[in-house]
Amino acid sequence: MGYLVDLTRGLWRENPTFRMVVGLCPTLAVTNAVANGIAMGLATTFVLIGSTVIISALRKITPEKIRMPIFVISIATFTTIIAMLMNAYFLSLYNVLKLYISLIVVNCIIMARAEGFASKNPVINTFFDSLGMGLGFTLALVIISTVREILGNGTFLGIQVMPDSFQPVLLMVLPPGAFLTLGLLIGFFNMMTALSAKRKGAQKRRAVNVDESAVNIG
Amino acid sequence: MLTNLLLILVSSIFVNNFLLSRFLGECPFLGVSKQVETATGMSIAVIFVMTMTAAITYLINNYILVPFGLEYLQIIAFIVVIASLVQFVEMVIKKTSPTLYQALGIYLPLITTNCAVLGVALLNVQNPYNFIEAVVNGFGSSVGFAFALISYAGIRERLALAPIPKALEGFPSALIGAGLLSLAFLGFRGLV
């Protein structure tokens, strides 16, 4: 039960991109195609899980004062591993994402989870928390890149989805499109949250009214 | 030679702007851009650290990592160098110029996790630059960073007073503003 809470936290309630708005550099930079978004998201998930599990396992013997360098070294190690793996097995993706894969090492999401969760919780909880956060990040990248690729190129994962008469909005795959898409998406999710909160509030009020009337009758 | 340096400078400031075209260093871009004053402080600190990082990581890469075949340690080596450089700069400024320390104090530690600084080190390694070109690229990139950050802070100061829909308050409106600024920078594309 507790593990499920850890897993779902990052997926939506504390989604790193849409809720916490951290780790924006890769979010904005690689989301011009869905394939790039998925690859970046999974690479970040790998580094996130690997480094936070190590940090969590070492949390009792880590001296308080030098914990930051220890975090940074373990994150940098896993970043180097994923960069080498991608270089060996996914060369074409690696050539596109090269710079941003290396820059996973300074991704705020990982530092935030290491400091805020892994350094205080057991290994298994940390694993599920990091898995959830990583998948939440991947989900956010996929949503943003889907919007950008379909509008900017008329394709989804490279497959034509829009009719031939569709004129691609080139702006969406260029840098400004990244800012505009993310801004409008966060605004949209804010609106949905406000609406659902309002509906829940109305339901609660009705429930309270019913209780009061019951008391009156009693 | 000089034209080449000028070309690197112009392209790193305007065409491949770090914030608006390469998307490096977005955290301070959104974090400290609420006021022009704080944005200026951050910019000066970044220009200082990024230029020094470009010089030092170039030397470390070409005289330590490459001769010993240790290129795979680049990420770890650079991040350690940047972290200690920032600490060192902080100590030196504290000793030599307390007024400058007062102005930059809070921004310096933040720079360690600024991906623009690590980004410039990695970009210099990926491009076949010599020492002077690498330093000019680091300087130009940081000036481009400062240029975008300060002009964006000016926009956000105005934006804070504007009536905006409730759902778009805060981050969304800031991101849309950044999108429009980025659109303006897209106009520099044909320059180089």
Side-chain angles (χ1 to χ4, degrees):
Chain A
M1 187 58 203
Y3 299 144
L4 200 68
V5 173
D6 287 330
L7 182 66
T8 53
R9 187 186 297 123
L11 285 179
W12 185 246
R13 211 153 22 89
E14 292 181 21
N15 187 290
T17 304
F18 293 130
R19 290 298 152 122
M20 318 296 278
V21 199
V22 290
L24 286 185
C25 304
T27 313
L28 294 166
V30 304
T31 49
N32 50 3
V34 179
N36 293 350
I38 296 175
M40 188 69 211
L42 293 182
T44 310
T45 309
F46 172 81
V47 178
L48 186 57
I49 293 176
S51 53
T52 52
V53 163
I54 296 271
I55 288 165
S56 168
L58 295 176
R59 72 186 185 283
K60 286 190 181 130
I61 54 165
T62 304
E64 177 79 14
K65 275 192 180 153
I66 57 158
R67 67 184 196 287
M68 282 298 165
I70 292 177
F71 292 174
V72 169
I73 296 290
S74 77
I75 297 169
T77 309
F78 279 94
T79 309
T80 309
I81 295 174
I82 193 73
M84 285 171 162
L85 281 176
M86 286 190 69
N87 195 2
Y89 295 106
F90 303 98
L91 191 61
S92 56
L93 263 178
Y94 180 71
N95 283 335
V96 177
L97 299 177
K98 210 175 196 170
L99 181 62
Y100 297 96
I101 293 286
S102 311
L103 286 174
I104 293 178
V105 69
V106 281
N107 192 318
C108 329
I109 300 172
I110 301 179
M111 218 23 160
R113 288 338 276 174
E115 172 73 11
F117 197 91
S119 58
K120 298 184 198 96
N121 287 287
V123 174
I124 301 175
N125 293 72
T126 302
F127 173 80
F128 282 104
D129 176 76
S130 297
L131 183 65
M133 284 290 161
L135 291 181
F137 180 64
T138 312
L139 179 75
L141 290 187
V142 169
I143 293 175
I144 299 168
S145 53
T146 305
V147 173
R148 287 183 71 192
E149 196 183 330
I150 289 181
L151 289 180
N153 208 12
T155 57
F156 178 77
L157 275 173
I159 304 157
Q160 183 90 23
V161 288
M162 296 301 259
D164 285 337
S165 59
F166 174 73
Q167 183 70 41
V169 191
L170 189 61
L171 177 73
M172 296 306 279
V173 286
L174 290 174
F179 286 112
L180 295 176
T181 312
L182 183 60
L184 291 173
L185 275 176
I186 295 179
F188 175 71
F189 288 128
N190 280 351
M191 199 176 73
M192 298 307 278
T193 316
L195 276 183
S196 82
K198 206 187 260 174
R199 206 173 302 135
K200 252 182 215 154
Q203 266 172 10
K204 206 177 269 172
R205 220 172 301 126
R206 210 172 300 131
V208 171
N209 286 345
V210 170
D211 283 349
E212 276 170 4
S213 58
V215 171
N216 284 344
I217 292 166
Chain B
M1 179 65 191
L2 209 60
T3 27
N4 190 21
L5 289 183
L6 200 65
L7 213 61
I8 292 177
L9 197 64
V10 171
S11 105
S12 58
I13 295 178
F14 296 110
V15 184
N16 290 321
N17 188 285
F18 256 44
L19 284 170
L20 297 168
S21 153
R22 280 208 164 116
F23 301 114
L24 296 169
E26 297 301 326
C27 298
F29 187 50
L30 291 170
V32 299
S33 58
K34 285 198 179 115
Q35 283 171 342
V36 173
E37 202 177 315
T38 50
T40 314
M42 183 72 183
S43 299
I44 295 170
V46 167
I47 293 177
F48 194 59
V49 172
M50 247 163 100
T51 312
M52 284 187 72
T53 306
I56 292 178
T57 52
Y58 181 89
L59 295 177
I60 287 191
N61 188 56
N62 281 1
Y63 294 101
I64 299 177
L65 295 182
V66 173
F68 293 104
L70 296 172
E71 286 97 335
Y72 63 91
L73 285 179
Q74 264 165 2
I75 299 174
I76 299 181
F78 288 175
I79 194 85
V80 171
V81 166
I82 291 169
S84 31
L85 181 70
V86 171
Q87 282 278 314
F88 177 69
V89 167
E90 200 180 342
M91 285 192 300
V92 168
I93 294 182
K94 203 173 179 179
K95 275 271 182 225
T96 54
S97 163
T99 30
L100 189 63
Y101 182 73
Q102 283 278 314
L104 299 184
I106 38 170
Y107 304 112
L108 281 172
L110 283 177
I111 294 175
T112 316
T113 53
N114 184 338
C115 48
V117 180
L118 185 60
V120 83
L122 291 168
L123 276 173
N124 277 342
V125 170
Q126 286 171 13
N127 288 313
Y129 288 148
N130 66 28
F131 181 70
I132 295 173
E133 285 168 342
V135 174
V136 168
N137 186 36
F139 177 71
S141 301
S142 57
V143 169
F145 180 95
F147 183 43
L149 181 62
I150 295 171
S151 43
Y152 180 59
I155 295 179
R156 273 188 87 173
E157 277 189 354
R158 292 278 182 102
L159 211 58
L161 304 171
I164 15 182
K166 204 165 183 347
L168 292 182
E169 273 171 15
F171 275 119
S173 62
L175 283 166
I176 294 168
L180 297 179
L181 189 61
S182 163
L183 195 61
F185 268 73
L186 209 59
F188 291 121
R189 275 265 157 120
L191 212 57
V192 172

